[in-house]
Amino acid sequence: MTIRRILMFVVLAVALTVNASAQDADARYAKDLLQPGTMAPDFTLAATDGTPHTLSSLRGGYVVLDFWASWCPDCRKDVPVLKELHAEYGRTVKFVSVSFDDDKAKWTNYVEANGMDWLNLSELRKWKETGVSKLYNIKWIPSMYIIDRQGRIILSTVMVEKVAAKLKELHEL
Protein backbone atom coordinates (compact mmCIF):
# COMPACT_ATOMS: atom_id res chain seq x y z
CA MET A 1 0.00 0.00 0.00
CA THR A 2 1.13 3.49 -0.75
CA ILE A 3 1.35 6.17 1.92
CA ARG A 4 -1.53 8.01 0.25
CA ARG A 5 -3.83 4.97 0.47
CA ILE A 6 -2.88 4.36 4.09
CA LEU A 7 -3.68 7.99 4.95
CA MET A 8 -7.01 7.79 3.13
CA PHE A 9 -7.83 4.59 5.00
CA VAL A 10 -6.97 6.20 8.36
CA VAL A 11 -9.05 9.30 7.59
CA LEU A 12 -12.01 7.15 6.53
CA ALA A 13 -11.73 4.98 9.65
CA VAL A 14 -11.63 8.05 11.92
CA ALA A 15 -14.62 9.61 10.12
CA LEU A 16 -16.66 6.43 10.48
CA THR A 17 -15.75 6.13 14.16
CA VAL A 18 -16.74 9.75 14.88
CA ASN A 19 -20.02 9.31 12.97
CA ALA A 20 -20.83 6.08 14.83
CA SER A 21 -20.09 7.82 18.14
CA ALA A 22 -22.46 10.67 17.36
CA GLN A 23 -25.24 8.33 16.30
CA ASP A 24 -24.77 6.20 19.39
CA ALA A 25 -24.98 9.03 21.96
CA ASP A 26 -28.46 8.01 23.12
CA ALA A 27 -27.46 4.35 23.33
CA ARG A 28 -24.57 5.30 25.62
CA TYR A 29 -25.93 8.22 27.63
CA ALA A 30 -29.74 8.10 27.53
CA LYS A 31 -30.28 4.44 28.36
CA ASP A 32 -31.19 5.20 32.01
CA LEU A 33 -33.57 8.06 31.24
CA LEU A 34 -37.29 7.57 31.86
CA GLN A 35 -38.86 5.87 28.87
CA PRO A 36 -41.66 7.12 26.61
CA GLY A 37 -45.07 6.30 28.05
CA THR A 38 -43.89 6.99 31.62
CA MET A 39 -45.74 9.68 33.55
CA ALA A 40 -43.37 12.62 34.05
CA PRO A 41 -42.66 13.04 37.78
CA ASP A 42 -43.85 16.34 39.19
CA PHE A 43 -41.45 18.71 40.93
CA THR A 44 -41.35 22.21 42.35
CA LEU A 45 -38.26 24.31 41.65
CA ALA A 46 -37.39 27.99 41.87
CA ALA A 47 -36.98 30.22 38.81
CA THR A 48 -34.16 32.73 38.41
CA ASP A 49 -36.27 35.29 40.33
CA GLY A 50 -36.91 32.81 43.16
CA THR A 51 -40.55 32.11 42.22
CA PRO A 52 -41.50 28.43 42.68
CA HIS A 53 -42.89 26.54 39.66
CA THR A 54 -44.32 23.04 39.33
CA LEU A 55 -44.11 20.88 36.24
CA SER A 56 -47.74 19.84 36.67
CA SER A 57 -48.85 23.48 36.23
CA LEU A 58 -47.81 23.19 32.57
CA ARG A 59 -50.14 20.26 31.76
CA GLY A 60 -52.40 20.75 28.81
CA GLY A 61 -49.57 21.57 26.44
CA TYR A 62 -46.36 19.98 25.26
CA VAL A 63 -43.25 20.63 27.36
CA VAL A 64 -39.58 20.44 26.41
CA LEU A 65 -37.71 19.68 29.62
CA ASP A 66 -33.97 20.38 29.32
CA PHE A 67 -31.48 19.37 32.04
CA TRP A 68 -28.24 21.33 31.75
CA ALA A 69 -25.62 23.48 33.53
CA SER A 70 -23.78 26.64 32.55
CA TRP A 71 -20.44 24.91 33.23
CA CYS A 72 -21.24 22.03 30.81
CA PRO A 73 -19.63 22.48 27.34
CA ASP A 74 -22.13 20.18 25.57
CA CYS A 75 -25.03 22.03 27.21
CA ARG A 76 -23.68 25.42 26.11
CA LYS A 77 -23.33 24.06 22.58
CA ASP A 78 -27.06 23.22 22.55
CA VAL A 79 -28.28 26.64 23.75
CA PRO A 80 -28.37 28.26 20.26
CA VAL A 81 -30.41 25.31 18.94
CA LEU A 82 -32.81 25.52 21.90
CA LYS A 83 -33.18 29.25 21.24
CA GLU A 84 -34.13 28.51 17.62
CA LEU A 85 -36.59 25.83 18.71
CA HIS A 86 -38.11 28.18 21.27
CA ALA A 87 -38.44 30.91 18.63
CA GLU A 88 -40.18 28.48 16.27
CA TYR A 89 -42.37 26.48 18.68
CA GLY A 90 -42.51 28.57 21.86
CA ARG A 91 -46.07 29.76 21.23
CA THR A 92 -47.43 26.22 21.41
CA VAL A 93 -44.76 24.36 23.40
CA LYS A 94 -43.49 25.27 26.87
CA PHE A 95 -39.71 25.18 27.32
CA VAL A 96 -38.28 24.50 30.76
CA SER A 97 -34.56 24.35 31.46
CA VAL A 98 -33.50 22.82 34.78
CA SER A 99 -29.99 23.89 35.73
CA PHE A 100 -27.56 21.92 37.85
CA ASP A 101 -25.61 25.05 38.71
CA ASP A 102 -25.04 25.62 42.41
CA ASP A 103 -23.95 29.26 42.02
CA LYS A 104 -26.98 31.48 41.44
CA ALA A 105 -24.99 34.38 39.95
CA LYS A 106 -23.25 32.17 37.37
CA TRP A 107 -26.54 30.50 36.45
CA THR A 108 -28.62 33.68 36.13
CA ASN A 109 -25.84 35.59 34.36
CA TYR A 110 -25.52 32.81 31.77
CA VAL A 111 -29.28 32.66 31.21
CA GLU A 112 -29.51 36.44 30.73
CA ALA A 113 -26.35 36.77 28.63
CA ASN A 114 -27.53 34.04 26.26
CA GLY A 115 -31.13 35.15 25.85
CA MET A 116 -32.66 31.99 27.32
CA ASP A 117 -36.03 33.71 27.72
CA TRP A 118 -38.07 30.66 28.67
CA LEU A 119 -38.66 29.20 32.13
CA ASN A 120 -35.36 28.42 33.88
CA LEU A 121 -35.39 26.53 37.17
CA SER A 122 -32.83 25.20 39.63
CA GLU A 123 -32.38 23.70 43.08
CA LEU A 124 -29.01 25.52 43.23
CA ARG A 125 -27.36 22.30 44.35
CA LYS A 126 -24.74 20.10 42.77
CA TRP A 127 -26.14 17.85 40.05
CA LYS A 128 -25.89 14.50 41.84
CA GLU A 129 -27.37 16.01 45.02
CA THR A 130 -30.58 17.27 43.43
CA GLY A 131 -33.92 15.59 43.89
CA VAL A 132 -34.94 16.30 40.30
CA SER A 133 -31.89 14.48 38.89
CA LYS A 134 -32.94 11.40 40.85
CA LEU A 135 -36.58 11.68 39.71
CA TYR A 136 -35.53 11.80 36.05
CA ASN A 137 -32.51 9.43 36.24
CA ILE A 138 -30.14 12.09 34.93
CA LYS A 139 -26.70 10.53 34.52
CA TRP A 140 -25.50 12.78 31.69
CA ILE A 141 -26.11 16.36 30.65
CA PRO A 142 -27.55 17.67 28.56
CA SER A 143 -30.55 15.36 28.88
CA MET A 144 -33.91 16.29 27.41
CA TYR A 145 -37.47 15.10 27.53
CA ILE A 146 -40.60 16.01 25.62
CA ILE A 147 -43.75 15.61 27.68
CA ASP A 148 -47.23 15.42 26.13
CA ARG A 149 -50.38 17.29 27.16
CA GLN A 150 -51.37 14.58 29.66
CA GLY A 151 -47.96 14.61 31.36
CA ARG A 152 -46.49 11.49 29.72
CA ILE A 153 -42.98 11.35 28.35
CA ILE A 154 -42.93 10.98 24.58
CA LEU A 155 -39.16 11.44 24.04
CA SER A 156 -36.08 11.02 26.22
CA THR A 157 -32.71 11.87 24.69
CA VAL A 158 -29.33 13.52 25.09
CA MET A 159 -29.47 14.80 21.52
CA VAL A 160 -31.04 18.19 20.77
CA GLU A 161 -31.40 17.10 17.13
CA LYS A 162 -33.92 14.46 18.21
CA VAL A 163 -35.87 17.10 20.13
CA ALA A 164 -35.95 19.26 16.98
CA ALA A 165 -37.15 16.35 14.84
CA LYS A 166 -39.90 15.39 17.32
CA LEU A 167 -41.12 18.98 17.61
CA LYS A 168 -41.29 19.21 13.82
CA GLU A 169 -43.26 15.95 13.73
CA LEU A 170 -45.68 17.19 16.41
CA HIS A 171 -46.11 20.52 14.65
CA GLU A 172 -47.07 18.77 11.41
CA LEU A 173 -49.84 16.74 13.10
Side-chain angles (χ1 to χ4, degrees), residues 5-23 28:
R5 282 189 178 176
I6 291 172
L7 285 174
M8 285 177 48
F9 176 76
V10 168
V11 168
L12 181 60
V14 168
L16 289 173
T17 302
V18 167
N19 189 35
S21 281
Q23 291 176 353
R28 288 191 317 207

Side-chain angles (χ1 to χ4, degrees), residues 110-141:
Y110 190 90
V111 166
E112 289 174 23
N114 289 279
M116 298 170 67
D117 60 353
W118 53 87
L119 186 57
N120 282 271
L121 307 172
S122 183
E123 289 182 49
L124 291 174
R125 293 174 43 203
K126 293 182 192 293
W127 167 14
K128 308 268 170 125
E129 297 172 3
T130 66
V132 74
S133 68
K134 292 174 180 107
L135 283 174
Y136 282 85
N137 295 336
I138 307 299
K139 309 266 195 269
W140 181 265
I141 54 174

Side-chain angles (χ1 to χ4, degrees), residues 42-57:
D42 197 17
F43 57 79
T44 302
L45 294 175
T48 52
D49 66 0
T51 306
H53 291 270
T54 62
L55 180 65
S56 60
S57 69

Side-chain angles (χ1 to χ4, degrees), residues 79-97:
V79 168
V81 179
L82 286 169
K83 284 176 64 174
E84 288 176 19
L85 294 173
H86 181 256
E88 187 167 350
Y89 302 108
R91 291 178 201 188
T92 57
V93 176
K94 301 290 184 201
F95 284 71
V96 180
S97 288

Side-chain angles (χ1 to χ4, degrees), residues 66-80 82 110 140-143:
D66 166 46
F67 293 93
W68 75 293
S70 68
W71 46 260
C72 164
D74 289 337
C75 303
R76 291 192 310 258
K77 177 183 64 82
D78 285 352
V79 168
L82 286 169
Y110 190 90
W140 181 265
I141 54 174
S143 286

